[in-house]
């Protein structure tokens, strides 16, 4: 986790760093800081350290506990004129969230300043070694150890010091550093964690992701693992950590606008992103469902197509909400009306440490919004070692998983800023639905006319999601009646079992209420003991479902025990209405598409409960948007 940024050029560095950090705040927000090298003497006292009599100005360092707003209000009292600087927004790993643990960290003599995203796994061993040599540490962080280590190798060439330090460091990182006696150069290197260089005119930027750079440039270079970049205002030099040979790097153009990454009048990013869902579905359909009975995936080459045609089994590997998409994918791929391929969804953190019986003839799909999730990335690398076909279903263009998988299918949801995933989830579901139909055709299981029916119904989904968004009065009522409740149960079957998990996850992560999702058939095996007249139970019961009658029986059982039933049901379903305290209607659709519709009221319900409880909806406590640590 953590967001990092660096700037070198002609403009004032500090406002650029702060704005970049605001865009990266979703990556962590327990403390933040910036360091710069002022061009003239600056009298204000800072957290920086005194240098050793050099003619170069010492670093000005500002750090605050809490969000960027805190740091910004401190800096607004006055900041130095500097044209080079680095910044960081933190999600604590080593050491509590505090001002002293906030980055940037300086070397022992104040010669270098460093920001870091990642973990130095052998920091204890390095710290003892450095202490023996006289280092004194102020913070509890692994980053300060790295700063001391780099400075111990520093003799006027920052890039060389970073190369030497990288050889000693175990773990994964993105480092951005500046040196006091080299005020014209930023050096950065990465192993596993993302870094992207922004190319301006007479200025350069570096950040954890492109959203921090979009106000300044759309031309970027993605760094690969073990690459080191040296940025001057007028040059970029990329080399491998172990070599001095200059690498030729491709310049990519980012097509997201700044506006796309901003709130657009909504109170929260999460709400904006929920409302963007009809448009997201439309875009995916425009790209993929090109004719009335054709589905296209432009990034699936003929070679990959032929491997997919003969695949024995599909593994889906992902975390959190993306794992729930994987579970829906499981039903889709195995569906006898679609691809009918054996499929298994796994949580990345389990998959990477298990020994799955995965064969060369299998395929593994890695589903991820950020494309940077550490466990999913590790699982992808393992699968690649086994020679399995790997496919990323990824939202963030150019992210590590997108680049490393054999093929990538982008979900085209646009930037998702709210920590709770909403539009990226619907985009994953839509993409998986179309992919399963595509494979159905490829493997000769789905006729053109069946595909035509499927595509026709898919094209109704944007309108149907809009309809749900237009009528939220029942969701408002339920949220107002129940927002003080501390425990919720979510039940679903078949295609909607994953959404019972997803609904519970959405509620707990943004409201902090306890919520548990179950396969409704499991009720009698324990959870039914929880039901009494105080217990809210959210029941997902769309009509077109193989298990509709079973779900109805579960609802009866909860009703008999006076549980508070909140149902998500197909319009005009009077049977369910009679037994429900609150009912959220969804339009009718095919069973395979029902999770795309049932997810929306679940998102809105969680959102409204969170707002009524005055929660920090977009940045819930302890979470970060992109989980780049295990
Ligand atoms: C929950 C949520 C997380 C992510 C998970 C995986 O709302 O957003 O559970 O789904 O951290 O992240 P990605 O999709 O970036 O791999």
């Amino acid at each position: 986790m953590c967001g990092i940024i660096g700037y070198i050029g002609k403009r004032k560095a500090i406002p650029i760093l702060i704005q970049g950090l605001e865009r990266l705040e979703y990556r962590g927000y327990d403390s933040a800081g910036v360091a710069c090298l002022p061009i003239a003497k600056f009298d204000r006292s800072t957290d920086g350290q005194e240098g050793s009599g050099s003619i170069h100005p010492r670093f000005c360092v500002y750090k605050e506990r809490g969000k960027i707003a805190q740091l910004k209000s401190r800096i607004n009292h006055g900041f130095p004129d500097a044209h080079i600087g680095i910044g960081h927004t933190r999600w604590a790993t080593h050491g509590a969230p505090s001002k002293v643990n906030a980055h940037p960290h300086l070397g022992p003599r104040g010669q270098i300043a460093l920001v870091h995203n990642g973990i130095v796994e052998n920091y204890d061993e390095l710290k003892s070694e450095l202490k023996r040599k006289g280092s004194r540490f102020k913070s509890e962080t692994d980053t300060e150890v790295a700063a001391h280590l780099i400075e111990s190798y520093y003799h006027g060439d920052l890039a060389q010091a970073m190369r030497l330090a990288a050889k000693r460091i175990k773990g994964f990182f993105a480092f951005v550093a500046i040196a006091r006696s080299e005020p014209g150069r930023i050096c950065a290197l990465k192993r596993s964690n993302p870094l992207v260089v922004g190319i301006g005119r007479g200025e350069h930027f570096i950040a954890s992701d492109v959203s921090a750079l979009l106000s300044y440039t759309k031309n970027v270079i993605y760094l690969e693992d073990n690459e080191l970049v040296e940025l001057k205002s007028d040059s970029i030099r990329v080399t491998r950590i172990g070599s001095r040979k200059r690498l030729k790097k491709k310049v990519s153009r980012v097509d997201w606008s700044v506006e796309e990454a901003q709130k657009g009048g909504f109170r929260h990013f999460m709400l904006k992103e929920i409302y963007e869902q009809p448009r997201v579905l439309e875009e995916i359909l425009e790209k993929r469902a090109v004719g009335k009975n054709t589905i296209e995936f432009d990034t699936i080459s003929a070679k990959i197509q032929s491997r997919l045609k003969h695949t024995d089994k599909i593994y889906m590997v992902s975390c959190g909400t993306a794992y729930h998409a994987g579970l829906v994918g499981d039903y889709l791929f195995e569906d006898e009306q679609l691809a009918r391929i054996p499929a298994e969804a796994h949580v990345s953190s389990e998959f990477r440490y298990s020994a799955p019986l995965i064969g060369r003839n299998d395929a593994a799909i890695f589903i991820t919004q950020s494309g940077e999730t550490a466990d999913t990335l590790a699982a992808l690398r393992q699968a690649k070692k086994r020679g399995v076909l790997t496919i990323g279903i990824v939202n963030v263009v150019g992210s590590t998983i997108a680049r490393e998988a054999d093929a990538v299918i982008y979900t085209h949801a646009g930037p998702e800023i709210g920590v709770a995933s909403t539009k990226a989830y619907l985009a994953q579901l839509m993409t998986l639905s179309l992919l399963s139909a595509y494979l159905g055709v490829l493997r000769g299981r789905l006729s053109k006319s069946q595909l035509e029916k499927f595509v026709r119904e898919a094209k109704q989904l944007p309108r149907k999601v809009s309809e749900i968004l237009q009528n939220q009065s029942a969701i408002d009522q339920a949220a107002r009646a129940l927002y003080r409740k501390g425990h919720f149960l979510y039940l679903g079957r078949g295609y909607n079992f994953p959404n019972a998990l997803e609904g519970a996850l959405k509620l707990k992560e943004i409201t902090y209420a306890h919520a548990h999702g179950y396969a409704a058939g499991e009720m009698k095996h324990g959870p039914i003991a929880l039901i009494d007249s105080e217990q809210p139970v959210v029941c997902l019961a769309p009509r077109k479902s193989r298990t509709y009658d079973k779900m109805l029986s579960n609802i009866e059982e909860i009703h008999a025990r006076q549980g508070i039933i909140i149902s998500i049901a197909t319009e005009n379903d009077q049977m369910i209405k009679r037994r429900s305290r609150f009912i959220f209607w969804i339009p009718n659709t095919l069973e395979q598409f029902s999770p795309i519709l049932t997810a929306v009221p679940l998102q809105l319900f969680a959102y409204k409960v969170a707002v009524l409880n005055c929660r920090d909806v977009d940045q819930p406590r302890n979470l970060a948007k992109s989980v780049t640590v295990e």
Side-chain angles (χ1 to χ4, degrees):
M1 251 86 81
C2 301
I4 57 185
I5 181 152
Y7 172 78
I8 184 160
K10 294 188 187 67
R11 292 194 247 191
K12 290 192 175 190
I14 296 268
I16 291 173
L17 297 176
I18 294 289
Q19 197 196 70
L21 289 179
E22 284 173 330
R23 300 256 164 80
L24 295 173
E25 198 167 27
Y26 71 86
R27 299 177 66 89
Y29 36 83
D30 59 45
S31 53
V34 292
C36 62
L37 282 167
I39 49 170
K41 186 168 162 45
F42 187 70
D43 282 8
R44 190 170 296 281
S45 83
T46 72
D47 304 329
Q49 298 174 1
E50 196 68 54
S52 52
S54 144
I55 51 154
H56 300 290
R58 62 185 173 140
F59 287 114
C60 282
V61 182
Y62 299 87
K63 301 180 185 190
E64 285 299 323
R65 192 191 156 153
K67 299 197 171 177
I68 314 291
Q70 255 94 319
L71 178 69
K72 196 170 167 180
S73 70
R74 166 148 181 231
I75 285 176
N76 278 345
H77 292 121
F79 55 84
D81 203 1
H83 301 310
I84 178 169
I86 57 178
H88 186 271
T89 181
R90 180 166 186 251
W91 186 84
T93 55
H94 293 70
S98 67
K99 189 166 162 177
V100 73
N101 286 333
H103 304 206
H105 289 283
L106 303 190
R109 289 169 289 119
Q111 290 301 314
I112 69 128
L114 178 75
V115 289
H116 168 214
N117 168 27
I119 289 183
V120 177
E121 284 170 354
N122 57 337
Y123 90 104
D124 231 4
E125 174 196 325
L126 294 171
K127 192 170 187 175
S128 311
E129 178 187 317
L130 290 160
K131 271 186 180 166
R132 282 196 298 277
K133 292 183 183 160
S135 271
R136 294 286 166 270
F137 294 93
K138 292 181 175 167
S139 77
E140 305 155 274
T141 63
D142 52 344
T143 307
E144 194 184 10
V145 174
H148 281 228
L149 183 71
I150 295 171
E151 199 171 287
S152 73
Y153 289 115
Y154 184 67
H155 304 289
D157 182 350
L158 181 58
Q160 176 62 4
M162 289 177 83
R163 282 181 212 281
L164 294 172
K167 284 193 189 156
R168 303 285 321 280
I169 291 174
K170 291 194 185 125
F172 45 94
F173 46 75
F175 287 129
V176 180
I178 48 180
R180 192 178 163 207
S181 51
E182 296 177 77
R185 178 161 81 144
I186 294 181
C187 292
L189 61 82
K190 73 157 246 145
R191 185 183 294 156
S192 261
N193 289 1
L195 274 180
V196 54
V197 172
I199 306 168
R201 285 217 182 129
E203 60 184 356
H204 289 119
F205 310 79
I206 186 153
S208 299
D209 84 39
V210 289
S211 60
L213 313 177
L214 288 175
S215 299
Y216 309 105
T217 180
K218 296 201 165 185
N219 296 326
V220 301
I221 294 174
Y222 295 102
L223 294 183
E224 299 296 336
D225 280 355
N226 295 312
E227 285 181 353
L228 183 140
V229 64
E230 296 160 67
L231 297 179
K232 295 184 176 172
S233 54
D234 56 359
S235 70
I236 300 172
R237 180 184 158 83
V238 182
T239 49
R240 305 274 308 158
I241 291 181
S243 143
R244 288 176 180 272
K245 194 166 163 241
R246 193 181 200 133
L247 298 172
K248 236 182 140 168
K249 296 288 292 180
K250 183 177 150 224
V251 175
S252 309
R253 187 137 176 102
V254 183
D255 59 3
W256 290 356
S257 67
V258 181
E259 294 68 41
E260 273 180 294
Q262 290 180 339
K263 270 188 211 158
F266 285 90
R267 185 168 168 197
H268 296 102
F269 279 112
M270 181 179 175
L271 190 60
K272 172 179 177 250
E273 287 157 8
I274 290 174
Y275 271 83
E276 281 170 356
Q277 294 180 123
R279 183 68 208 127
V280 168
L281 297 181
E282 237 164 53
E283 274 194 23
I284 298 172
L285 288 160
E286 270 164 27
K287 280 206 159 62
R288 310 276 178 230
V290 283
K292 62 182 175 141
N293 55 16
T294 326
I295 293 177
E296 271 182 22
F297 286 96
D298 50 340
T299 46
I300 295 189
S301 63
K303 198 169 148 208
I304 288 175
Q305 220 183 55
S306 103
R307 282 183 78 178
L308 282 172
K309 194 170 174 179
H310 304 290
T311 286
D312 291 338
K313 185 169 180 176
I314 293 181
Y315 287 81
M316 274 156 297
V317 188
S318 42
C319 300
T321 291
Y323 167 62
H324 300 151
L327 287 172
V328 176
D330 200 342
Y331 288 92
L332 286 164
F333 288 129
E334 293 198 342
D335 196 315
E336 62 269 24
Q337 292 168 14
L338 295 166
R340 200 68 179 148
I341 305 177
E344 253 178 47
H346 290 258
V347 171
S348 312
S349 54
E350 289 298 317
F351 185 85
R352 66 179 288 195
Y353 292 116
S354 63
L357 291 167
I358 189 163
R360 284 191 159 262
N361 226 13
D362 297 336
I365 300 184
F366 300 85
I367 307 166
T368 168
Q369 188 286 128
S370 62
E372 303 293 349
T373 301
D375 284 319
T376 309
L377 179 58
L380 163 73
R381 287 176 177 164
Q382 265 179 24
K384 282 190 83 172
K385 274 193 198 143
R386 287 166 185 246
V388 172
L389 171 67
T390 59
I391 297 178
I393 295 189
V394 182
N395 192 39
V396 175
V397 176
S399 56
T400 310
I401 292 175
R403 283 178 283 132
E404 291 195 11
D406 295 324
V408 59
I409 298 174
Y410 283 117
T411 47
H412 297 290
E416 190 179 66
I417 307 294
V419 161
S421 188
T422 52
K423 63 173 180 169
Y425 180 59
L426 248 62
Q428 288 160 353
L429 296 184
M430 190 73 255
T431 304
L432 284 162
S433 308
L434 296 177
L435 185 62
S436 56
Y438 171 87
L439 294 180
V441 174
L442 198 64
R443 293 165 75 100
R445 291 203 60 93
L446 204 66
S447 68
K448 282 279 172 194
S449 67
Q450 285 165 321
L451 180 66
E452 189 173 328
K453 185 171 166 247
F454 190 79
V455 168
R456 202 182 320 122
E457 183 51 34
K459 290 187 173 168
Q460 302 301 315
L461 291 168
R463 177 183 55 77
K464 290 183 178 178
V465 170
S466 294
E467 276 172 37
I468 298 172
L469 293 174
Q470 273 157 30
N471 189 0
Q472 298 179 28
S473 54
I475 308 177
D476 281 322
Q477 266 174 30
R480 275 198 300 273
L482 302 173
Y483 76 98
R484 287 183 197 282
K485 295 275 183 197
H487 304 278
F488 289 78
L489 277 179
Y490 283 71
L491 302 178
R493 283 174 179 261
Y495 271 101
N496 279 286
F497 160 53
N499 265 3
L501 304 182
E502 175 59 9
L505 175 63
K506 274 307 76 99
L507 191 85
K508 68 187 144 201
E509 70 180 328
I510 60 169
T511 73
Y512 316 149
H514 174 250
H516 205 118
Y518 273 104
E522 282 289 289
M523 273 291 281
K524 292 194 197 68
H525 302 282
I528 200 162
L530 294 170
I531 310 292
D532 63 15
S533 60
E534 292 298 312
Q535 179 63 56
V537 188
V538 180
C539 299
L540 282 69
R543 191 150 214 349
K544 245 184 223 155
S545 153
R546 280 158 258 204
T547 50
Y548 172 77
D549 290 339
K550 306 284 170 204
M551 199 61 219
L552 212 55
S553 309
N554 291 126
I555 290 176
E556 286 292 0
E557 288 154 12
I558 301 160
H559 188 249
R561 289 162 182 80
Q562 280 102 44
I564 304 169
I565 298 171
I566 306 116
S567 295
I568 301 182
T570 307
E571 276 158 358
N572 299 323
D573 188 332
Q574 297 305 322
M575 291 260 261
I576 294 194
K577 188 172 180 205
R578 274 196 290 277
R579 277 147 192 83
S580 306
R581 187 88 57 93
F582 304 97
I583 190 149
F584 307 160
W585 295 123
I586 56 162
N588 195 16
T589 189
L590 296 180
E591 179 175 21
Q592 291 85 350
F593 292 136
S594 61
I596 292 179
L597 298 188
T598 58
V600 181
L602 294 173
Q603 297 165 345
L604 286 167
F605 180 64
Y607 173 78
K608 286 168 199 284
V609 172
V611 170
L612 287 165
N613 280 299
C614 304
R615 299 298 189 218
D616 191 344
V617 173
D618 284 332
Q619 295 179 340
R621 68 184 182 203
N622 305 334
L623 289 172
K625 183 76 185 155
S626 178
V627 184
T628 54
V629 292
E630 253 191 80

